[in-house]
């Protein structure tokens, strides 16, 4: 057990936590390469070069290594933010609203990628869209003054309505996610 309260981002990175904040918070004036290298000093294995698998996951980043982060599209910036978090080789990847302000196609691509990454690390996603995210996750925790955890297949519109006290659209479960 590790106490995380009061630890800064670099300390959390050394523990093995990668974080992708809502709004991405990439460094707009730095190049793609510089953005990716930001977290490398926190790696426990002392690797100081960008892992090649980042470019396998996000080929567009390899093509844009010298472009400024601020010049990328919203979807490309999100790929950069995820790539930057993965550069530290995290045990736990936390993403806050990872598909905010990106198109539906990119949204599905990102969640397909997260599903694959989940085979090698624990992933925690904060999202307001329970209907969409429940197609990809194994557990859902709903917070509204209290924390209620459910296996994904136990979540339906009635459960959400009970928790949040308002009408919600029905949640259709389909873990095959044929787009």
């Amino acid at each position: 057990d590790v106490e995380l309260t009061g630890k800064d981002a670099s300390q959390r990175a050394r523990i093995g936590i990668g974080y992708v904040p809502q709004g991405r918070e990439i460094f707009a004036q730095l190049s793609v390469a510089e953005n990716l290298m930001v977290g490398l000093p926190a790696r426990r294995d002392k690797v100081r070069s960008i892992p090649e698998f980042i470019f396998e996951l996000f080929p567009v980043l390899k093509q844009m290594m010298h472009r400024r982060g601020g010049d990328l599209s919203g979807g490309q910036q999100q790929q950069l933010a995820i790539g930057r978090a993965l550069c530290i080789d995290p045990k736990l990847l936390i993403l806050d609203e990872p598909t905010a302000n990106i198109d539906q196609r990119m949204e599905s691509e990102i969640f397909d990628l997260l599903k694959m990454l989940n085979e090698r690390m624990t992933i925690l996603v904060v999202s307001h869209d329970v209907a969409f995210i429940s197609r990809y996750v194994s557990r859902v925790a709903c917070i509204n003054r209290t924390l209620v955890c459910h296996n994904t297949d136990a979540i339906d519109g009635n459960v959400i309505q009970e928790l949040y006290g308002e009408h919600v659209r029905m949640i259709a479960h389909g873990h095959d996610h044929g787009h």
Side-chain angles (χ1 to χ4, degrees):
D1 288 355
V2 178
E3 176 58 48
L4 296 175
T5 309
K7 297 240 189 294
D8 65 28
S10 65
Q11 291 169 311
R12 289 178 183 175
R14 279 188 205 95
I15 294 165
I17 300 173
Y19 177 54
V20 181
Q22 184 172 7
R24 301 180 275 278
E25 295 182 23
I26 58 148
F27 299 103
Q29 299 304 319
L30 297 184
S31 70
V32 166
E34 290 165 332
N35 267 280
L36 290 172
M37 292 189 295
V38 163
L40 292 177
R43 282 184 70 110
R44 296 172 304 284
D45 60 8
K46 308 294 183 221
V47 167
R48 293 296 175 263
S49 58
I50 301 164
E52 194 55 38
F53 85 92
I54 300 294
F55 302 121
E56 291 165 15
L57 295 174
F58 304 115
V60 70
L61 297 182
K62 187 159 199 161
Q63 299 162 18
M64 299 188 164
M65 288 291 279
H66 303 293
R67 295 267 304 271
R68 289 186 330 162
D71 294 339
L72 274 56
S73 71
Q76 291 164 344
Q77 287 184 4
Q78 187 64 307
Q79 291 178 61
L80 177 56
I82 295 170
R84 180 181 61 190
L86 291 174
C87 275
I88 69 158
D89 190 28
K91 298 177 202 159
L92 169 65
L93 180 63
I94 302 174
L95 302 102
D96 188 0
E97 296 286 359
T99 56
N101 302 316
I102 59 175
D103 65 46
Q104 269 189 313
R105 183 188 56 79
M106 181 60 74
E107 180 178 52
S108 294
E109 282 180 23
I110 285 174
F111 273 95
D112 287 341
L113 169 75
L114 295 177
K115 186 96 173 159
M116 183 193 72
L117 287 172
N118 191 214
E119 294 170 14
R120 29 195 292 197
M121 69 188 68
T122 301
I123 298 179
L124 173 65
V125 178
V126 178
S127 176
H128 67 280
D129 192 345
V130 179
F132 177 77
I133 202 169
S134 67
R135 296 179 4 215
Y136 292 90
V137 300
S138 56
R139 303 233 342 123
V140 173
C142 299
I143 302 174
N144 183 27
R145 290 184 290 282
T146 57
L147 174 65
V148 182
C149 296
H150 297 278
N151 285 332
T152 309
D153 56 9
I155 297 283
D156 62 20
N158 294 330
V159 170
I160 301 298
Q161 191 166 333
E162 236 173 75
L163 286 167
Y164 294 99
E166 54 189 71
H167 181 70
V168 292
R169 61 187 169 159
M170 193 59 199
I171 296 169
H173 292 286
H175 292 275
D176 59 307
H177 55 273
H179 306 295

